[in-house]
Amino acid sequence: MKRIATQARPDLVQKAEEAGFTFHTMHGEPYWDETSAYAFTLEQIETDLEDPATELHDMCRQAVEQVVGSEELMRRLGIPAEHMDLVANSWAAGEPELYGRFDLAYDGAGPAKLLEYNADTPTSLFEAAAFQWSWLEDLIARGQLPEDSDQFNSIHESLVARLAEIVAPGTDMHFTSVADNAEDYGTVETLAWAAKDAGLIAHYTPLEQIGLTEEGQFADNESRVIGTLFKLYPWEDLLREDFAAHIVSSGTRFIEPAWKAVLSNKGILPVLWHMFEGHPNLLPAFFTGDKDGDPVWERARAGLEASGWVEKPIFSREGASISIHQGGRVEHSTHQGYEAHPRILQAYHALPVFEGNHAVVGAWIVGQTCCGIGLREDNSRITQDLSRFKPHFISSQ
Amino acid sequence: MKKSTALRPLTIGLLGISAFALAGCKEETVEATVWQSPAACAASGEATAAECEKGLAEAQAAHEQTAPRYDAKAVCEEQHGAGNCVTDNSGGGGGSIFMPILMGYMMGKLMSGGLGGAGAAAKPLYPTPGGQMATADGSTRFNAGNGKTTVPSKSFAPSPTTAGKAPMSAAQVRSTGGFGGRAATSGGSTGG
């Protein structure tokens, strides 16, 4: 895995703006950064990322099965008591998942390590599915990358196929996200293009404008009943809001399904470690409040003292409220806000550093299979919302 | 090949190219005028004094029948602003039904330039907590003031009768905004 200097396209800003990718620069800093790119071999992609990520998703599904069968585990994962049935029933009914993104620490050599699973509301989909693909095509066309350069990215095709599989053709499918957020809208519209290609009719409604009819159905901003709803909004928040009481009775089909609430928080990491202790793609993880007398903890202790560990709230975004404990020192993330939530600890595993940049591999799962990756890098070892998105290619060398 | 073989360049957030079915673009609109008093209406020259008074009378009649009605003053004021609610004295309820005051009225303009006509009776407008004016169902809003505007034709559809019916409770009033409250307080992207 190499970080290679590449020539940024002179018309990059124009191309981005024409595509509506207005957030190519954020807070005055580049977000999309093509002055360099990551190069992988096919072996690294297939053996170290694609297959392990697919396997990790399957392991996560097994973990969901465990969690929904245990009120205690659901409580630890922050599922509100009054909605545990909703979550468990959506799993029992086999409601199909659409997509998710694993964040992995991978340096090109050792096994990729699971940092966390954004299984409910992953973003950066436009960048990963579309913009990095057209970057590759452009560079090949301009002779700046070899003709046979490839990229691990069949995300769009996979979304089309999966949507066609799980939603009947001709269905009116609603999409919602918090209003006035360009990044979220980018992810949602990218999904809507896939829905359109899958023969569905996509409708957008800002989250705040979803209403409730007299019959208790959810309605959009034109008072049309919502039958199928893709929501770019976390289950852990939905389940704590006014409309939560109406979710089941509304008859609306939610994508992602409610059981994703089990995966969309870091509490799944201790569950995974206890189910698959020692798995090469997992890092030891524990609930902070619950280690005494746990033989799994006893076996991991010495290693954690040596490697250091990271404490994270079970719900947090963009690296907020994370602290890294190493060699007696503690480093706190600059963003806070999640201190009140239950926390887990996970063995510290350094991100690879390329010229001062800490790189995280985002592995995209569509349906139950890994179909692409997107990379982000940051000056800090805690990846936050100022991280840059980096394109990648697969070199034949 | 590990990548998609064909992908037309996708766009996001562009007006005119959208993955979403265009909302309301074929909706019919009508010209309308909005007034906070018949005096303002007459002074504008948009309608005669008689037409302005007739519009108010139609709006007041509609107001009696179709104003939003609530089972508590606090619920009404939450929707319409402090000080903007009065007891419904139209009979029944015994002083426990509350409705907003009339803040203005909206008149439709026919293509011929005349006012009124079937389906275009003047509609009452009610205060919002933010000082705007809105139709009874809240779907059409204006900044406070007087003058010409364009509204969807459906804004003039008759409102359902509320007089003599059970008033809305706080739970029923939450017709929108039942999702997203936590986003409002935490701010920023809720994706990851």
Side-chain angles (χ1 to χ4, degrees), chain A residues 4 8 226-227 247 259 275 282 308 319 338 340 357 372 376 390:
Chain A
I4 312 261
I226 297 174
I247 287 173
W259 60 260
M275 288 175 70
L282 293 179
Y338 292 89
N357 298 285
R376 278 164 305 146
K390 305 293 294 179

Side-chain angles (χ1 to χ4, degrees), chain A residues 105-386:
Chain A
Y106 177 63
D107 62 3
K113 299 290 188 185
L114 174 61
L115 297 170
E116 71 176 90
Y117 193 7
N118 288 287
D120 187 22
T121 57
T123 53
S124 71
L125 184 66
F126 174 75
E127 299 89 290
F131 205 67
Q132 72 171 345
W133 188 94
S134 51
W135 167 86
L136 183 81
E137 296 288 304
D138 272 356
L139 262 65
I140 291 173
R142 296 173 191 205
Q144 280 155 24
L145 276 177
E147 278 277 333
D148 62 354
S149 296
D150 197 359
Q151 185 178 83
F152 182 27
N153 177 12
S154 65
I155 299 169
H156 177 83
E157 269 177 20
S158 302
L159 284 168
V160 175
R162 181 58 170 175
L163 282 163
E165 194 181 7
I166 67 176
V167 186
T171 298
D172 286 284
M173 181 168 173
H174 279 80
F175 292 77
T176 190
S177 61
V178 172
D180 302 321
N181 185 302
E183 294 172 72
D184 284 2
Y185 193 81
T187 286
V188 167
E189 191 165 11
T190 300
L191 284 163
W193 284 115
K196 206 166 178 225
D197 284 353
L200 313 178
I201 306 162
H203 306 274
Y204 181 76
T205 300
L207 183 71
E208 302 83 350
Q209 289 182 35
I210 291 178
L212 199 63
T213 69
E214 277 171 11
E215 291 82 33
Q217 297 166 299
F218 291 126
D220 68 10
N221 52 353
E222 301 202 350
S223 301
R224 295 174 301 192
V225 171
I226 297 174
T228 302
L229 179 65
F230 173 86
K231 53 145 197 67
L232 189 66
Y233 192 68
W235 270 110
E236 70 256 25
D237 290 340
L238 275 182
L239 291 178
R240 290 169 167 84
E241 290 178 357
D242 291 347
F243 277 175
H246 301 282
I247 287 173
V248 174
S249 48
S250 70
T252 295
R253 175 187 181 189
F254 279 78
I255 293 173
E256 295 296 319
W259 60 260
K260 281 294 189 82
V262 171
L263 289 184
S264 70
N265 76 83
K266 297 176 191 56
I268 202 63
L269 297 170
V271 175
L272 283 168
W273 183 254
H274 283 73
M275 288 175 70
F276 303 101
E277 187 183 359
H279 190 282
N281 298 115
L282 293 179
L283 293 167
F286 301 88
F287 290 104
T288 54
D290 170 50
K291 305 187 295 296
D292 296 337
D294 178 0
V296 181
W297 164 249
E298 291 307 320
R299 287 193 284 275
R301 243 179 132 146
L304 283 163
E305 298 287 334
S307 66
W309 66 92
V310 184
E311 288 189 16
K312 322 185 197 191
I314 62 170
F315 302 133
S316 77
R317 308 253 175 256
E318 315 273 357
S321 298
I322 282 180
S323 55
I324 301 181
H325 301 247
Q326 253 189 330
R329 292 184 325 271
V330 183
E331 175 186 340
H332 294 280
S333 56
T334 53
H335 292 298
Q336 299 296 310
Y338 292 89
E339 295 78 29
H341 291 293
R343 294 166 81 78
I344 63 137
L345 65 90
Q346 183 187 50
Y348 176 73
H349 182 90
L351 294 174
V353 180
F354 297 84
E355 291 138 347
N357 298 285
H358 304 259
V360 172
V361 175
W364 289 91
I365 303 289
V366 173
Q368 298 179 16
T369 310
C370 183
C371 61
I373 58 171
L375 277 90
R376 278 164 305 146
E377 64 178 28
D378 204 301
N379 294 332
S380 153
R381 49 187 185 159
I382 299 172
T383 313
Q384 294 167 122
D385 63 354
L386 300 181

Side-chain angles (χ1 to χ4, degrees), chain B residues 152-167:
Chain B
S153 317
K154 65 183 185 191
S155 307
F156 280 101
S159 303
T161 303
T162 56
K165 301 263 171 82

Side-chain angles (χ1 to χ4, degrees), chain B residues 37-58:
Chain B
S37 69
C41 169
S44 73
E46 290 290 330
T48 66
E51 285 166 337
C52 295
E53 290 290 345
K54 181 181 176 224
L56 176 61
E58 282 177 351

